[in-house]
Amino acid sequence: MAAATIAIALSSVLGCAPEPAPVPTPTPAFASEEEAFAAAEEVYRAYNDALNESRITDNAVTNPRKYLAGPALESDIDATRYLQEQGLKIVGEGQIVDFAGTTAGLTSGGVEVTAKVCLDVSRTQVLDASGRDVTPHDRPTRLPLDVAFVRSDGALLISSSNLLDGDPC
């Protein structure tokens, strides 16, 4: 009888002990590839709009660099430095002709999205310090790009953008 009483007492004490707090299960940032591709396209279009605006005015509302991370940000800083050192300036607008998501790695550990972008740069020019057009005559007017995006601090950012040789768009 004493053993039964101890068993009942132990079960009531153990049964009333608080359960450990549940550990939240990380969830992917996007429910589907389509959602990730749509978010990436939105980011790229916002970046292109900010870049175009920055070419029109020195007081652009949005700094295009806010959409960049890692190698893309480093490349932008290097390109800006190079243009300044050479006394060059890019003016005009680039237009997105096509955006096609290619891969979406959606895991609880992170998000990586890639896309092929076709950018029309026919309405841009390279000007020297005197305002003379020095745009290379053989420059392609459409640029096929392989663009990668990563999730950083809750936002999807462009992490790289590479020209696709021989890939028409």
Side-chain angles (χ1 to χ4, degrees):
M1 180 64 98
T5 304
I6 292 173
I8 292 171
L10 280 175
S11 68
S12 66
V13 169
L14 294 176
C16 292
E19 293 184 23
V23 176
T25 304
T27 58
F30 301 104
S32 67
E33 282 189 343
E34 291 78 20
E35 190 178 305
F37 294 151
E41 182 172 2
E42 185 178 321
V43 167
Y44 197 83
R45 288 188 182 280
Y47 165 71
N48 190 64
D49 290 346
L51 190 59
N52 286 337
E53 182 184 2
S54 74
R55 291 180 184 148
I56 295 169
T57 179
D58 291 332
N59 299 321
V61 174
T62 304
N63 184 339
R65 287 187 181 158
K66 89 175 224 173
Y67 300 102
L68 305 176
L73 178 58
E74 292 168 17
S75 291
D76 183 76
I77 291 168
D78 291 345
T80 300
R81 184 178 303 124
Y82 173 80
L83 290 170
Q84 288 172 344
E85 288 170 357
Q86 301 301 311
L88 301 173
K89 179 179 180 179
I90 299 174
V91 297
E93 293 185 354
Q95 293 184 315
I96 299 167
V97 175
D98 189 40
F99 185 100
T102 52
T103 64
L106 309 174
T107 66
S108 59
V111 173
E112 293 179 8
V113 179
T114 61
K116 286 188 178 183
V117 176
C118 181
L119 189 63
D120 182 339
V121 295
S122 63
R123 295 174 32 191
T124 64
Q125 295 176 307
V126 181
L127 305 179
D128 67 12
S130 66
R132 186 174 57 111
D133 184 358
V134 294
T135 307
H137 297 289
D138 60 348
R139 174 191 73 167
T141 57
R142 289 193 173 190
L143 304 176
L145 304 171
D146 181 32
V147 182
F149 301 81
V150 294
R151 192 157 183 93
S152 176
D153 295 328
L156 199 59
L157 301 174
I158 300 165
S159 60
S160 69
S161 180
N162 299 299
L163 187 60
L164 294 169
D165 291 328
D167 191 357
C169 70

